[in-house]
Amino acid sequence: MPRTVRIHAYGDASVLQLEDLEIAAPAADEVQIAVKAIGLNRAEVMFRSNQYLQQAEFPSRLGYEAAGRVQAWGSAVSGFAEGDAVSLIPPLDIARWGTYGEVINVPAYLTVKHPANLSFEQAAASWMQYVTAWGGLVEQARLGTGDFVLVTAASSSVGLAAFQVARKVGATAIAITRTRAKVQALLDAGAAQVIVSDEEDIVERVMALTDGQGARVVFDPVGGPAFEALTASMARGGILLEYGALSSEPTPFPLFTVLGKSLTLKGYLYNEIVSDPAALARAKAFIIEGLASGELKPIIARTFALDEIQQAHRYLEANQQVGKVVVTV
């Protein structure tokens, strides 16, 4: 029987259990995939440890991203053939279509025949990061030529994707990282400039890099005390997209900065794009073209085997990587 990762309780990485499970035939609107690679996301760590927006019903599957080959499909599905190389745009339910396994059933409308130049590992590492970055920066912030964007948590896969998306639309990405350890890796990954927040004044550096105008867009999954410096670094009429809450500290509301600069502060979720068919179609077109041309190229930090899923989660939680963690099957 195919092996599947499930959790039977919340906890640390040791709750991830690899089990032999029967896989049902795909539903009418589903595609069944023989998985070759799985992309890991911090959302899965949060789900596993009961810190996520969605609650588990035990025993629970988990996982958002995968790539592999089509081996069956439901009665309402067309356009696929056995053996097609495909990857999955993450669905809206982390458990129902959990991707951590050797065989999975997934929604057909989110199953993509990715460009042939991608490996399965790259394809499995693409969709969460690029849909998230495109949706925030292009669809919502209208990032374009001449704009500056501040990218925090810059060594994450979404942060790296943001550099590439910004460059593709003619904008300049400024990465913010805590220490100097990842500076060169961020520059190599496409950041135009890097600010080391433990050593440099964020506001002073941003103003120097932008000739005093500030950044029109901020892309931040952290929150916390740095929120004040980020808003102070923004251009008048700018927009800050908050797409996470990685900081455990309170996030202050910089009232007078927001008023004085007429800023827009927006909570942003990847779900906003996936649940909007028109926006999703625009995202797919932009990303497929970028992946095919090489303008968008996922950076993989490290790969693990499926039976190393616990180690893979521990590595992801250590936060030492630059890029995506991928599990091969």
Side-chain angles (χ1 to χ4, degrees), residues 174-207:
I174 301 172
I176 298 178
T177 188
R178 287 190 306 104
T179 70
R180 195 158 291 280
K182 296 179 180 178
V183 169
Q184 190 57 52
L186 294 174
L187 291 171
D188 293 343
Q193 300 285 343
V194 179
I195 298 173
V196 180
S197 60
D198 283 356
E199 301 177 11
E200 301 176 284
D201 183 284
I202 292 174
V203 181
E204 288 183 4
R205 284 284 287 138
V206 172
M207 291 303 170

Side-chain angles (χ1 to χ4, degrees), residues 90-305:
L92 298 178
D93 191 316
I94 195 172
R96 179 180 175 186
W97 292 287
T99 58
Y100 286 18
E102 293 177 330
V103 176
I104 59 175
N105 294 323
V106 295
Y109 84 100
L110 295 174
T111 304
V112 180
K113 296 178 187 177
H114 52 257
N117 59 308
L118 295 187
S119 67
F120 284 116
E121 291 81 4
Q122 290 173 317
S126 292
W127 290 103
M128 179 66 88
Q129 63 175 325
Y130 289 122
V131 172
T132 302
W134 177 89
L137 299 180
V138 179
E139 180 75 359
Q140 299 201 358
R142 305 300 184 201
L143 190 73
T145 302
D147 282 335
F148 290 92
V149 54
L150 301 185
V151 180
T152 65
S155 60
S156 69
S157 59
V158 175
L160 303 182
F163 304 160
Q164 297 177 13
V165 170
R167 183 169 54 195
K168 183 169 169 54
V169 299
T172 299
I174 301 172
I176 298 178
T177 188
R178 287 190 306 104
T179 70
R180 195 158 291 280
K182 296 179 180 178
V183 169
Q184 190 57 52
L186 294 174
L187 291 171
D188 293 343
Q193 300 285 343
V194 179
I195 298 173
V196 180
S197 60
D198 283 356
E199 301 177 11
E200 301 176 284
D201 183 284
I202 292 174
V203 181
E204 288 183 4
R205 284 284 287 138
V206 172
M207 291 303 170
L209 292 171
T210 63
D211 293 327
Q213 65 179 299
R216 190 180 70 78
V217 180
V218 175
F219 196 48
D220 177 55
V222 182
F227 205 74
E228 290 185 296
L230 293 177
T231 54
S233 302
M234 294 175 67
R236 183 174 182 82
I239 180 171
L240 184 151
L241 293 150
E242 192 65 35
Y243 69 99
L246 295 178
S247 176
S248 60
E249 299 180 67
T251 301
F253 181 72
L255 176 61
F256 288 104
T257 303
V258 172
L259 288 173
K261 292 188 174 186
S262 301
L263 301 179
T264 297
L265 309 182
K266 184 187 184 303
Y268 163 62
L269 292 175
Y270 161 92
N271 294 5
E272 296 175 51
I273 306 304
V274 176
S275 60
D276 181 337
L280 181 60
R282 291 191 291 272
K284 287 171 65 175
F286 180 97
I287 294 165
I288 287 173
E289 189 276 327
L291 291 170
S293 69
E295 293 174 288
L296 304 180
K297 187 173 184 179
I299 296 171
I300 297 174
R302 187 172 168 184
T303 59
F304 293 82

